[in-house]
Amino acid sequence: MNKTIKIDGVEIPFKEGQTIMDAALAADIYIPHLCHKPGLSPHGSCKLCTVDVNGRAASSCTMPAAEGQEIENDTPALNEVRKTITQMLFIEGNHLCPSCEKTGDCTLQAIGYHLGMLDGHFPQFYPRREVDASHPTLVLDRDRCIMCELCVRASRECDGKNVFAISGRGTKRHLIVNSPTGRLADSDIELDDLAAHICPVGAILIKDHGYEVPIGRRTFDLHSVAETDLDEVILTKARHHDEGDDSGEKEGGVYGV
């Protein structure tokens, strides 16, 4: 007999070892998230996926699913808190969407739209963090980093490297590069690494590939962030982008992961 949990009154099955997020994604139920990626270890840092489990708040990406859980997810109160978190992430970095190459492909931007965010609400920080353009094919713009650590985990767990880490605390917390000089050029990251493509915002970008897909035809121009199988959406978008072009250079090279 399948074990089940309830999310917003809908009963869904789960397998032993799955988190609430895993079970929700398998059942096509969207829970907003930024720091979660199937296949990587759960992190629970962005807090967007916080749900109420039997009346107590919990991160759905780290909380194991358990028989009898009654979970509230898509409620006005939770979505209002998520919108506030998203606003704080926006003002904490330099997320100037119209001038960012990631616009339309940016998960933070897509979640802002999903939650009905119309402004930053809080005073803008305008941080001045170091930009690292030393690498021949990648650029690291720390002003846009949201500390989700997807690149940290992707490099360590999928690429078998340890290129990135987080250093500092509070407002001085920032992404660092594990190389003798601290520069990306002196690390062993390569263009084909998952870490080079997994950034949900525009903190890690590919050089020499700007605005190849017109604004209005990008991932989240064509698909809602609430579509749960995000990987498939991104690959679909890449095919759309390369429609009529069999070149292996573009296929998944810029946005595909």
Side-chain angles (χ1 to χ4, degrees):
M1 180 180 292
N2 286 334
K3 296 181 177 179
T4 61
I5 57 177
K6 281 187 178 179
I7 300 182
D8 294 332
V10 177
E11 193 167 72
I12 64 169
F14 71 92
K15 297 176 183 175
E16 199 65 38
Q18 280 188 319
T19 63
I20 293 172
M21 176 70 80
D22 293 332
L25 289 173
D28 289 337
I29 293 176
Y30 176 67
I31 301 176
H33 57 274
L34 278 169
C35 72
H36 177 73
K37 192 78 172 176
L40 297 180
S41 59
H43 199 244
S45 60
C46 77
K47 302 304 179 190
L48 278 176
C49 74
T50 297
V51 293
D52 284 339
V53 183
N54 297 338
R56 300 185 65 178
S59 295
S60 62
C61 72
T62 57
M63 182 83 169
E67 183 75 38
Q69 286 175 335
E70 296 199 7
I71 298 153
E72 290 187 343
N73 167 44
D74 189 12
T75 69
L78 283 170
N79 286 331
E80 191 61 26
V81 172
R82 289 165 180 157
K83 186 170 76 173
T84 300
I85 293 171
T86 306
Q87 288 171 319
M88 293 170 72
L89 288 171
F90 260 93
I91 62 97
E92 195 270 342
N94 291 337
H95 300 287
L96 309 175
C97 299
S99 61
C100 179
E101 154 59 17
K102 194 79 172 187
T103 188
D105 291 318
C106 173
T107 310
L108 178 65
Q109 180 189 40
I111 286 179
Y113 283 125
H114 174 76
L115 296 171
M117 177 184 151
L118 300 178
D119 57 45
H121 183 72
F122 303 104
Q124 184 73 36
F125 275 27
Y126 294 120
R128 299 185 66 176
R129 305 189 188 111
E130 182 185 4
V131 174
D132 184 346
S134 62
H135 195 276
T137 56
L138 302 171
V139 59
L140 172 61
D141 186 346
R142 293 181 174 86
D143 286 343
R144 298 184 185 131
C145 178
I146 58 172
M147 315 293 172
C148 66
E149 299 196 28
L150 280 173
C151 61
V152 176
R153 286 172 282 155
S155 180
R156 187 182 302 148
E157 298 172 15
C158 294
D159 302 331
K161 303 176 182 178
N162 189 24
V163 172
F164 297 107
I166 298 293
S167 178
R169 303 183 64 180
T171 58
K172 294 184 179 179
R173 198 162 178 254
H174 63 284
L175 187 67
I176 62 171
V177 175
N178 288 320
S179 71
T181 61
R183 299 193 322 154
L184 212 53
D186 299 318
S187 73
D188 54 355
I189 192 169
E190 298 175 275
L191 183 58
D192 291 338
D193 289 353
L194 180 61
H197 300 273
I198 202 168
C199 181
V201 294
I204 301 175
L205 294 173
I206 313 300
K207 287 183 176 178
D208 301 325
H209 287 277
Y211 294 93
E212 291 181 340
V213 180
I215 293 172
R217 297 181 62 196
R218 299 182 171 200
T219 302
F220 298 117
D221 298 325
L222 303 175
H223 304 278
S224 163
V225 71
E227 293 179 78
T228 56
D229 195 349
L230 185 57
D231 284 351
E232 183 178 336
V233 169
I234 289 175
L235 292 174
T236 299
K237 178 261 181 185
R239 286 197 295 272
H240 174 84
H241 153 49
D242 293 330
E243 191 174 0
D245 182 354
D246 295 331
S247 165
E249 181 181 352
K250 289 183 179 179
E251 183 70 31
V254 181
Y255 303 110
V257 292

